[in-house]
Amino acid sequence: PTPTITRTLTPSPTVNLTATATLTPVPTPCSTMGLFGYTVDTGNVSFSTFVTYAQPATLTQPATIRSITAKLSVMHTVQFGIYSDNAGQPDTLLVSTDLILLQASFRTVPVVPTALAPGNYWLATYSTDGPGFWGNLSTGITCYSGSGAMPTTFSVTGTYPAVAELWADYCY
């Protein structure tokens, strides 16, 4: 976002006006949108509650992440995030959504715009109330699980042999 300056005139007791500058973020228009992650589902992926799951995704060009989208099979309280990659495993949390209650279907949640370089990343999900993501059960891709809600540094506690229908939306 590009900040703009808004001037506010404030009367003082001596009738002198004082100008106050306030920076107001103005979203930068997005000329071209893209996405990276998984957009195909073959069935319901049964992730456990109170566990963060991270699945690999490759970004092929410099981009500014604007939101994260998932396809939910039931209503959930969820959180989404993106982790950096360290030797083929999720590492540091780069951006995340708030914990939010979402209805079933495709749901997009905004994030603070975050610039990412091309490379390998990990898209993550966390739920407080049960399984219910649509996903791909036959990719041969393993996602990693870690305890707790979107930890700052991911610590792998297990694996799961499927990926959720989950992607990041970006501008480039």
Side-chain angles (χ1 to χ4, degrees), residues 2-164:
T2 304
T4 58
I5 296 178
T6 305
R7 297 194 185 274
T8 306
L9 297 178
T10 308
S12 65
T14 59
V15 192
N16 292 331
L17 297 178
T18 306
T20 305
T22 305
L23 289 177
T24 306
V26 175
T28 305
C30 185
S31 59
T32 308
M33 292 288 295
L35 60 88
F36 78 105
Y38 297 92
T39 60
V40 175
D41 70 72
T42 60
N44 197 347
V45 176
S46 297
F47 289 157
S48 299
T49 56
F50 304 108
V51 175
T52 296
Y53 288 90
Q55 58 195 47
T58 300
L59 180 62
T60 60
Q61 60 193 8
T64 299
I65 306 303
R66 302 301 273 289
S67 59
I68 299 175
T69 300
K71 185 178 182 186
L72 305 177
S73 58
V74 297
M75 184 169 64
H76 272 300
T77 302
V78 296
Q79 184 176 22
F80 305 128
I82 300 176
Y83 284 87
S84 63
D85 178 86
N86 182 7
Q89 291 191 354
D91 189 34
T92 303
L93 183 64
L94 302 173
V95 65
S96 66
T97 67
D98 292 330
L99 192 61
I100 186 169
L101 178 64
L102 297 175
Q103 298 293 325
S105 191
F106 288 100
R107 297 296 173 211
T108 299
V109 183
V111 296
V112 172
T114 303
L116 295 180
N120 296 322
Y121 294 93
W122 294 82
L123 301 178
T125 63
Y126 172 80
S127 173
T128 64
D129 47 17
F133 291 90
W134 286 103
N136 196 328
L137 306 170
S138 60
T139 62
I141 298 170
T142 298
C143 75
Y144 289 104
S145 59
S147 57
M150 295 291 158
T152 303
T153 302
F154 200 96
S155 179
V156 173
T157 59
T159 61
Y160 190 81
V163 293

